[in-house]
Amino acid sequence: MKLRAIVGVIAISGFAFAAQAGEGKIAYPEGYRDWPHVKSMVILEGHDLADPFQGIHHLYANEAALAGYRSGNWPDGAVIVFDLLKYAEGGHALQEGDRKLIGVMRRETARYTDTGGWGYEGFAGDSKTKRLVSDMMGQCHGCHTGQEKTGFVFSKLRK
Ligand code: HEC
């Protein structure tokens, strides 16, 4: 019984990996809302990043990315999620609104050699399939290159 369960898990994860590698795409980061929160930021109209990042964003890191934030060395498998929500202003407060998109960075040094070892993807709104990135360098990494000293990551883990 136990053995069968283990074999089943190996078969399933093997399949998931093959599907992901076969398509050459970054998987939707299932469950990222349960990952450790790195920091948040509100980008208002008029900010350099307002198009397309105006809104409230929260950053989340998986275990490998958390190790990267702490050590400065980003292990393969590290994933960071940029979760961007609209805001509604009223009553001297900013409330979270609908999700605009999520941005994803995934560390795989051997694969993403043109973009500093990071793969980039975006998913529109709440969709897990509507992808936004067709040019990792032009749409994403070009701007992140400025952060070479910190492994192309802008944010820092706050206390
Ligand atoms: C014009 C510059 C710029 C572009 C283009 C850009 N980013 Fe970023 N990105 C930033 C900045 C600045 C931060 C830090 C935000 C913060 O500190 O909260 C950031 C943070 C991130 C993070 C969290 C890790 C980190 O570096 O702090 C992810 C994930 C991310 N961006 C993904 C993307 C994706 C995917 C794209 C392409 C669709 C993209 N970014 C395009 C400037 C950019």
Side-chain angles (χ1 to χ4, degrees):
M1 189 64 186
K2 244 187 193 166
L3 185 65
R4 275 181 64 177
I6 291 168
V7 169
V9 168
I10 291 169
I12 289 165
S13 53
F15 176 76
F17 179 75
Q20 193 185 323
E23 285 179 29
K25 289 175 180 171
I26 293 175
Y28 179 86
E30 285 298 343
Y32 73 88
R33 290 273 290 118
D34 294 327
W35 297 358
H37 172 243
V38 177
K39 61 160 293 208
S40 298
M41 178 178 177
V42 181
I43 293 182
L44 303 172
E45 210 180 335
H47 188 280
D48 280 353
L49 300 180
D51 181 16
F53 299 125
Q54 183 175 341
I56 302 175
H57 69 247
H58 308 286
L59 304 183
Y60 299 92
N62 69 359
E63 285 302 320
L66 206 58
Y69 273 110
R70 290 185 171 134
S71 68
N73 297 314
W74 300 92
D76 278 8
V79 177
I80 313 173
V81 177
F82 182 109
D83 191 5
L84 176 64
L85 309 168
K86 289 181 189 165
Y87 56 69
E89 204 172 344
H92 304 284
L94 293 177
Q95 296 279 3
E96 289 183 340
D98 291 342
R99 178 168 286 112
K100 286 176 87 173
L101 58 86
I102 66 165
V104 181
M105 286 170 68
R106 179 182 167 81
R107 187 87 180 149
E108 252 181 272
T109 38
R111 184 160 179 186
Y112 301 113
T113 48
D114 293 345
T115 47
W118 289 99
Y120 294 80
E121 184 56 279
F123 294 89
D126 292 325
S127 174
K128 297 182 179 181
T129 54
K130 204 173 162 208
R131 292 168 180 271
L132 297 171
V133 175
S134 52
D135 173 6
M136 291 187 193
M137 179 56 93
Q139 289 173 263
C140 310
H141 190 65
C143 184
H144 279 248
T145 48
Q147 302 303 304
E148 188 166 3
K149 272 191 193 155
T150 48
F152 305 109
V153 173
F154 279 94
S155 51
K156 290 185 176 67
L157 189 64
R158 69 162 161 74
K159 281 179 192 160

